[in-house]
């Protein structure tokens, strides 16, 4: 059986206190008693999510090797709880690993799980683990979602220690922006725990179980935005302190001491970034905890995302280099081969060596040395005479001395290109295409680990072949004023995107359509990981368009996605 990964299937981790907002709102219970205990020490919180005394619902008796829809082969069961089970499986049609949630069709939460999964699938935001299928057949309801083998669960990261300031900043920034986008579409998570957060190898944080995890457990809330915001605050608190911000131990983390209440992170551990500590307290909406901070609490993910954006950017730590080992001088020891052995009367450490005669000390040798020296002097004189004669001939051939160039005059050199400051960047969305502008600042923040990413499109690489997106998409760069542009560099979010770089006219003002960019900087062609272009003649412009017309595949042959990680302009 293949090795189990914690980065793909939602394990039944029910440990930890309820968030304060959830206690205030008191999320409704599903009214179903547990069928069997969870695999970990999560018994106490699992009970808090289940109220009532209805008889337990049996989890479907399926085994490894069972196939769903003659396509999804179950490999390993990782959760069996409250009448549903979660599996690691293989999609034999596309030959990739997937995760599957299973529950009986007569389960009281089966309809809500199906509705939540289909709503989550329609979001299509790459910051969430995508729902691939949601089906009811043969008295079973199953939800198929992505499997991320290269991702690391936040639980494992926190087990190794607290996150450094830059990583914690990236965590709260990306998670709050993603949840703000989800709430704008009417979707809530309601179960944002360390087990629901994954970090990919590229540094992107992704959220799994949007709407589905709560539906599987029957969790609801009257104020979902406050519940999710407080959960993000708890994640940030844990990332800074390696402590869970409630009295009960949870998710492998120790809780706060009993009786002291919720204390700021910078009072739990020394050296914590003050701005992040205050941000965690503002997100953890609680009685009086933010009174001394002179800052209003954040009650929605959008407010939290704006508060993060208003903070000074936290730069990544400087890389550390290991010092080279100090050079150790070695002593060369000459061998004794060919030497006569020591005489009997001498100490063993002293050896008599025969001194060879100096070379060419005979009469013939001296004559040979003088002959070679004379030949070298003659050759050197002949060469110098020929060189001087050639230079004199060149001087006489020029004739008119007025047109001759001084010997010390040098041709002018081109100045090295210098980076140009980018004042702003906006999404290129002509024809009212409705392409989301979130993440556009990530393309000019100087960090390749963040990116502007398009939505996922199906069936056609040219943005789903949608009529309102026939002109493609991309990013418009504003240099702040008209400047001479001599080059551009672009780091792509994914290889295989077809794009071109265009510039607006010198007198253009707020260009928005493709026809407004009349100057071509690069040809339309597929790009690999990077696009570097140096112009033969500088272009004078203020606005530059990175125009994407075709997207690469995104995990399957009928799904497409692209984006831009970083843009650099030189002049």
């Amino acid at each position: 059986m293949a090795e189990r990964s914690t980065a793909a299937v939602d394990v039944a981790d029910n440990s930890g206190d309820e968030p304060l907002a959830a206690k205030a709102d008191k999320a409704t219970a599903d009214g179903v008693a547990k069928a069997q205990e969870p695999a970990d020490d999560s018994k106490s919180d699992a009970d808090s999510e289940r109220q009532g005394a209805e008889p337990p619902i049996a989890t479907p008796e399926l085994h490894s090797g069972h196939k769903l829809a003659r396509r999804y082969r179950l490999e390993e069961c990782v959760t069996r709880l409250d009448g549903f089970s979660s599996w690691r499986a293989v999609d034999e049609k596309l030959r990739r690993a997937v995760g599957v949630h299973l529950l009986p069709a007569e389960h009281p939460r089966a309809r809500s799980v199906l509705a939540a999964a289909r709503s989550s699938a329609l979001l299509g935001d790459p910051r969430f683990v995508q729902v691939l299928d949601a089906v009811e057949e043969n008295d079973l309801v199953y939800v198929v979602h992505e499997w991320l083998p290269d991702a690391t669960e936040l639980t494992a990261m926190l087990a190794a220690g607290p996150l450094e300031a830059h990583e914690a900043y990236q965590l709260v920034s990306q998670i709050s922006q993603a949840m703000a986008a989800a709430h704008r579409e009417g979707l809530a998570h309601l179960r944002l725990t360390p087990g629901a957060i994954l970090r990919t190898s590229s540094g992107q944080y992704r959220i799994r179980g949007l709407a589905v995890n709560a539906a599987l457990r029957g969790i609801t809330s009257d104020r979902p935005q406050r519940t999710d915001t407080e959960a993000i605050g708890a994640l940030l608190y844990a990332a800074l302190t390696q402590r869970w911000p409630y009295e009960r131990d949870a998710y492998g983390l120790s809780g706060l001491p009993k009786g002291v209440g919720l204390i700021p992170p910078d009072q739990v551990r020394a050296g914590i970034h003050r701005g992040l500590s205050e941000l965690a307290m503002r997100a953890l909406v609680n009685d009086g905890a933010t009174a001394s901070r002179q800052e209003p609490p954040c009650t929605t993910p959008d407010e939290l995302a704006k508060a993060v954006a208003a903070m000074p950017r936290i730069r990544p730590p400087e890389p550390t280099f290991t010092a080279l080992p100090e050079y150790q001088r070695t002593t060369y020891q000459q061998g004794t081969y060919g030497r006569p052995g020591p005489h009997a009367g001498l100490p063993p450490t002293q050896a008599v060596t025969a001194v060879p005669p100096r070379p060419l000390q005979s009469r013939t040798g001296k004559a040979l040395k003088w002959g070679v020296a004379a030949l070298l002097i003659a050759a050197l004189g002949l060469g110098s005479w020929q060189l001087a004669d050639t230079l004199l001939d060149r001087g006489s051939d020029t004739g008119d001395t007025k047109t001759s160039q001084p010997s010390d005059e040098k041709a002018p050199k081109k100045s090295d290109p210098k980076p140009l400051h980018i004042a702003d960047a906006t999404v290129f969305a002509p024809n009212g295409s409705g392409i989301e502008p979130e993440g556009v600042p990530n393309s000019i923040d100087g960090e390749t680990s963040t990116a502007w990413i398009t939505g996922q499109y199906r069936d056609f690489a040219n943005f789903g072949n949608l009529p309102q997106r026939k002109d493609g998409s991309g990013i418009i760069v504003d240099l702040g004023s008209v400047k001479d542009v001599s080059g551009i560099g672009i780091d792509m979010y994914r290889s295989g995107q077809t794009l071109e770089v265009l510039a607006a006219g010198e007198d253009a003002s707020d260009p928005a359509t493709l026809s407004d960019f009349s100057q071509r900087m690069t040809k339309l062609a597929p790009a690999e990981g990077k696009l570097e272009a140096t112009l033969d003649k500088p272009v004078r412009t203020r606005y530059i368009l990175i125009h994407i017309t075709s997207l690469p595949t995104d995990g399957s042959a009928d799904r497409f996605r692209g984006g831009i990680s970083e843009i650099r302009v030189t002049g």
Side-chain angles (χ1 to χ4, degrees):
M1 184 176 295
E3 182 180 353
R4 174 176 173 177
S5 170
T6 61
V9 179
D10 180 27
V11 181
D13 188 358
N14 298 301
S15 59
D17 285 359
E18 294 181 40
L20 296 175
K23 292 180 180 178
D25 303 333
K26 203 58 186 175
T28 59
D30 53 29
V32 180
K34 56 187 176 182
Q36 52 182 297
E37 295 297 332
D40 57 8
D41 57 351
S42 58
K43 188 183 303 182
S44 59
D45 188 57
D47 294 339
S48 69
E49 291 183 0
R50 308 178 191 91
Q51 299 175 2
E54 293 186 11
I57 297 176
T59 305
E61 290 297 331
L62 300 176
H63 303 280
S64 299
H66 183 87
K67 286 187 182 180
L68 301 172
R70 291 191 240 178
R71 174 176 179 177
Y72 304 111
R73 186 180 74 249
L74 303 182
E75 291 287 324
E76 179 186 9
C77 181
V78 295
T79 301
R80 198 179 291 274
L81 177 72
D82 275 358
F84 74 87
S85 60
S86 297
W87 294 75
R88 176 176 58 83
V90 174
D91 183 349
E92 294 186 337
K93 182 177 181 180
L94 297 179
R95 297 182 181 180
R96 64 179 179 180
V98 294
V100 178
H101 297 304
L102 277 167
L103 67 165
E106 67 272 11
H107 196 288
R109 295 193 292 269
R111 294 292 171 269
S112 61
V113 170
L114 275 176
R118 288 166 180 170
S119 299
S120 177
L122 292 176
L123 181 61
D125 193 314
R127 293 170 292 191
F128 295 90
V129 174
Q130 300 295 300
V131 172
L132 305 176
D133 211 349
V135 181
E136 178 183 0
E137 66 175 11
N138 298 331
D139 298 328
L140 282 177
V141 169
Y142 59 89
V143 177
V144 183
H145 60 84
E146 281 184 299
W147 177 283
L148 305 177
D150 67 331
T152 303
E153 194 175 285
L154 182 59
T155 306
M157 297 173 62
L158 295 178
L163 306 185
E164 52 92 11
H166 173 72
E167 195 64 38
Y169 172 80
Q170 291 293 328
L171 168 70
V172 67
S173 176
Q174 296 183 34
I175 298 302
S176 60
Q177 290 179 19
M179 289 310 305
H183 278 283
R184 282 194 291 270
E185 299 296 329
L187 293 173
H189 196 290
L190 303 184
R191 193 171 169 75
L192 278 173
T193 67
I197 308 301
L198 304 174
R199 186 186 187 275
T200 66
S201 57
S202 63
Q204 299 287 326
Y205 284 94
R206 299 187 65 179
I207 304 171
R208 65 181 173 191
L210 178 65
V212 177
N213 282 7
L216 283 169
R217 293 164 174 82
I219 301 173
T220 60
S221 174
D222 293 334
R223 287 179 284 184
Q225 295 204 55
R226 176 175 171 177
T227 301
D228 283 343
T229 305
E230 189 172 342
I232 299 172
L235 294 176
L236 177 58
Y237 195 104
L240 294 173
T241 63
Q242 203 185 11
R243 300 286 293 267
W244 194 238
Y246 306 103
E247 292 184 353
R248 188 181 306 167
D249 298 346
Y251 312 112
L253 303 173
S254 300
L256 297 178
K258 295 184 178 180
V260 301
L262 182 60
I263 56 179
D266 54 5
Q267 296 181 17
V268 176
R269 189 172 68 88
I272 290 180
H273 190 278
R274 180 67 178 273
L276 292 176
S277 176
E278 294 182 358
L279 194 66
M281 297 301 288
R282 292 177 63 187
L284 286 167
V285 182
N286 53 85
D287 297 332
T290 60
S292 63
R293 298 296 181 179
Q294 304 299 324
E295 292 285 350
C298 299
T299 58
T300 68
D302 188 57
E303 290 179 358
L304 181 58
K306 291 178 180 178
V308 175
M311 288 179 55
R313 183 177 298 276
I314 301 176
R315 295 294 180 182
E318 294 294 333
T320 57
F321 299 97
T322 305
L324 295 176
E326 185 178 355
Y327 174 72
Q328 297 181 353
R329 185 180 299 277
T330 59
T331 303
Y332 173 72
Q333 295 181 351
Q334 191 172 4
T336 60
Y337 176 77
R339 295 181 181 180
H343 291 279
L346 296 176
T349 56
Q350 298 179 1
V352 178
T353 58
V355 180
R358 297 179 64 184
L360 301 179
Q361 291 299 314
S362 64
R363 185 176 299 175
T364 305
K366 291 181 179 180
L368 181 59
K369 285 196 299 182
W370 284 110
V372 172
L375 288 175
L376 290 175
I377 293 172
L380 183 60
L382 180 61
S384 300
W385 176 78
Q386 289 180 343
L387 178 61
D389 187 58
T390 302
L391 293 175
L392 291 174
D393 288 343
R394 288 185 179 178
S396 61
D397 289 342
T398 55
D400 189 7
T401 58
K402 295 181 180 179
T403 60
S404 61
Q405 294 290 336
S407 58
D408 58 345
E409 184 177 348
K410 296 181 179 179
K413 293 183 178 179
K414 292 183 178 180
S415 59
D416 294 334
K418 297 181 180 179
L420 298 180
H421 172 68
I422 299 176
D424 193 15
T426 57
V427 69
F428 177 64
N431 306 318
S433 58
I435 297 177
E436 290 294 336
E438 284 82 1
V440 172
N442 294 336
S443 65
I444 59 171
D445 61 358
E447 299 180 12
T448 57
S449 61
T450 60
W452 167 75
I453 306 171
T454 70
Q456 187 183 75
Y457 296 87
R458 299 187 179 184
D459 300 328
F460 293 95
N462 55 340
F463 292 86
N465 209 24
L466 300 176
Q468 69 271 26
R469 300 181 186 175
K470 61 183 178 65
D471 288 338
S473 184
I475 292 178
I476 300 175
V477 171
D478 182 3
L479 301 179
S481 61
V482 177
K483 298 179 182 178
D484 290 328
V485 177
S486 61
I488 189 165
I490 305 171
D491 292 334
M492 310 305 300
Y493 169 72
R494 183 167 294 169
S495 298
Q497 302 179 75
T498 302
L499 74 155
E500 61 184 346
V501 182
L502 307 173
E506 183 177 352
D507 57 348
S509 175
D510 195 19
T513 64
L514 193 59
S515 60
D516 294 334
F517 297 88
S518 57
Q519 303 183 81
R520 179 174 298 278
M521 296 177 63
T522 69
K523 295 181 180 180
L524 181 65
E528 297 303 322
K530 288 187 177 183
L531 173 63
E532 299 286 348
T534 302
L535 306 182
D536 296 334
K537 182 180 179 181
V539 172
R540 190 160 178 78
T541 185
R542 173 179 174 177
Y543 300 97
I544 299 174
L545 168 63
I546 293 86
H547 181 214
I548 301 175
T549 62
S550 180
L551 306 175
T553 56
D554 183 34
S556 62
D558 60 343
R559 300 180 185 225
F560 304 90
R561 175 178 284 128
I564 297 174
S565 296
E566 198 62 35
I567 302 172
R568 300 173 298 278
V569 181
T570 56

